[in-house]
Each structure stands twice: as structure tokens, then as C-alpha cells.
Amino acid sequence: MEKIYLTGMMGCGKSAIGRKLASKLERKFVDLDALIEQREGKRITDIFEEGGEALFRRIETEVLTEVSRRKEALVVSCGGGIVLKDENVDIMRRTGRVVLIRRSVENIIGTLDTKKRPLLKNDAENVEKIYGQRKERYEVTSHVQISNNAGMEEAVEKIIRALETI
Ligand SMILES: Nc1ncnc2c1ncn2[C@@H]1O[C@H](COP(=O)(O)OP(=O)(O)OP(=O)(O)O)[C@@H](O)[C@H]1O
Ligand SMILES: O=C(O)C1=C[C@@H](O)[C@@H](O)[C@H](O)C1
Ligand SMILES: [Mg+2]
């Protein structure tokens, strides 16, 4: 059954909006970062510390593969770096619809807890740099894009409408 995959930069609202979207569509909700932590019994920051980003990315692809094979119409909130690997992009586009959530760097920095995002190294300025590096990748990966610079309820409605048009 087709999945809805939410992608976008760290702090763009994938987890928070995904939960609301799932509830509205009466689907189950899966947060990939949370599932990775549950499966490994470790925080993401500890996985990065112990095995570096490479280990985290390996686990991320394994967990995405498992989730993509579930025979349920899920809403899946991905980690911010899911689009970096072609393999992940193929899985998502083959098994569902990929939604890019855009949010201004200013708004992201205003609400993000950088301590839980190892790639930001406690430095909110890094959001801008990483976004610059990934922007194109996010765009080519997605079937639809919406902006989340007003309320989250509005973002949920935009996603539902955008998915109806494709
Ligand atoms: N439109 C919005 N208005 C106010 N707060 C928002 C909005 N969108 C997201 N937030 C807040 O921003 C913070 C980051 O959102 P969230 O954790 O959902 O991001 P994420 O995309 O899942 O990040 P990550 O990739 O790091 O998991 C949360 O505290 C969330 O409540
Ligand atoms: O943007 C990223 O590369 C990441 C975002 C988070 O959701 C986590 O998946 C992890 O911290 C890496
Ligand atoms: Mg999240």
C-alpha cells in the first residue's frame, strides 16, 4: 500500500506535521528517526558518536527498507538526510509519494533543538550551509512541495490538497 514520505531539512516540521497528517488521514504514523533509536536502543547522537555518519546512514536505509515493505498505508516522517542516497530515493518513489516540506531557515533556527541533531554540532548557523548543499536534492526527489511558514494545521491541509493533484 502506498506510503506518504515527508522529507525536508532538519526542523522543517516532518515529525510534528507527519503525526497530525496521519491522524487526519486515519493512517498509522512512523517516525524513521524514532524507529532507528528504538531498534538500536540508542539515541541518534550516540550512533553518530560510535560509528560516525556512515553507520547511521546504513541503519537508516535498513529501517526505511523495512518500513517500505509494510503492507499498510503509512505516513512516514523521514530524517533530514534521507534524500542523500539514491537507494533511499528509489525506495520512497517506488513505494509512495514524496512530499518536501519547506520552511525558512529563520523559522527553523527559531524552534530547533540543535543538541539532538549531531550534524548541526550545536550550531544553528549550520542549517543554512547544509540546506544550501541539499536544496537541489530535496527538490528532485519530491513529487510535491509545500511550505510550512505559517501554522502546522495549514501545512497538513496543503499536503492533502497537493497530493490530490497528482
Ligand atoms: N509551522 C510551525 N509553527 C511552529 N512550530 C513549528 C512549525 N513547524 C514545526 N514546528 C516546530 O519545529 C520543531 C521542529 O519540528 P520537527 O521536529 O517536526 O522537525 P523535523 O523536520 O522532524 O526535524 P528532524 O529532521 O531533525 O527530525 C518542533 O518543535 C515543531 O513543533
Ligand atoms: O539532516 C540530517 O542529516 C539528519 C536529520 C535528523 O532527522 C536525523 O536523521 C539525523 O540527525 C541526520
Ligand atoms: Mg523529525
Side-chain angles (χ1 to χ4, degrees):
M1 275 221 221
E2 202 165 80
K3 318 282 183 282
I4 298 173
Y5 295 101
L6 303 185
T7 67
M9 265 302 283
M10 281 167 267
C12 73
K14 300 178 293 294
S15 300
I17 291 169
R19 194 172 292 283
K20 290 179 189 297
L21 178 68
S23 145
K24 183 116 197 183
L25 296 176
E26 299 183 344
R27 289 183 178 214
K28 280 194 195 157
F29 171 65
V30 173
D31 188 289
L32 229 51
D33 282 341
L35 200 56
I36 290 168
E37 292 190 329
Q38 198 186 318
R39 200 184 88 152
E40 297 299 306
K42 288 176 195 159
R43 312 295 304 175
I44 287 176
T45 41
D46 297 327
I47 301 174
F48 268 75
E49 256 169 44
E50 288 165 23
E53 185 174 351
L55 174 65
F56 176 76
R57 297 295 173 209
R58 264 202 308 282
I59 300 169
E60 186 176 48
T61 300
E62 279 169 25
V63 174
L64 173 66
T65 303
E66 283 165 24
V67 167
S68 73
R69 289 181 179 154
R70 281 170 58 175
K71 304 217 174 318
E72 293 167 298
L74 305 167
V75 172
V76 185
S77 290
C78 300
I82 200 86
V83 299
L84 297 175
K85 272 167 78 173
D86 287 343
E87 188 180 351
N88 297 344
V89 173
D90 288 347
I91 293 169
M92 293 192 293
R93 289 188 63 96
R94 194 166 32 77
T95 60
R97 297 293 180 186
V98 183
V99 178
L100 170 60
I101 299 177
R102 295 172 169 286
R103 191 172 185 217
S104 71
V105 170
E106 199 185 353
N107 285 350
I108 287 179
I109 289 171
T111 52
L112 193 64
D113 181 357
T114 54
K115 287 183 212 69
K116 292 190 186 146
R117 273 78 173 182
L119 286 176
L120 296 181
K121 300 183 175 61
N122 294 339
D123 176 4
E125 307 253 310
N126 260 334
V127 173
E128 186 105 52
K129 190 173 135 217
I130 297 175
Y131 181 61
Q133 291 163 350
R134 293 183 180 171
K135 191 170 177 293
E136 207 184 315
R137 192 77 189 159
Y138 282 128
E139 284 171 4
V140 297
T141 299
S142 60
H143 291 105
V144 297
Q145 305 182 14
I146 64 110
S147 74
N148 173 34
N149 288 307
M152 286 192 267
E153 302 295 340
E154 203 176 312
V156 168
E157 292 306 322
K158 282 188 200 164
I159 293 173
I160 292 171
R161 281 201 303 275
L163 288 174
E164 279 167 1
T165 65
I166 56 167

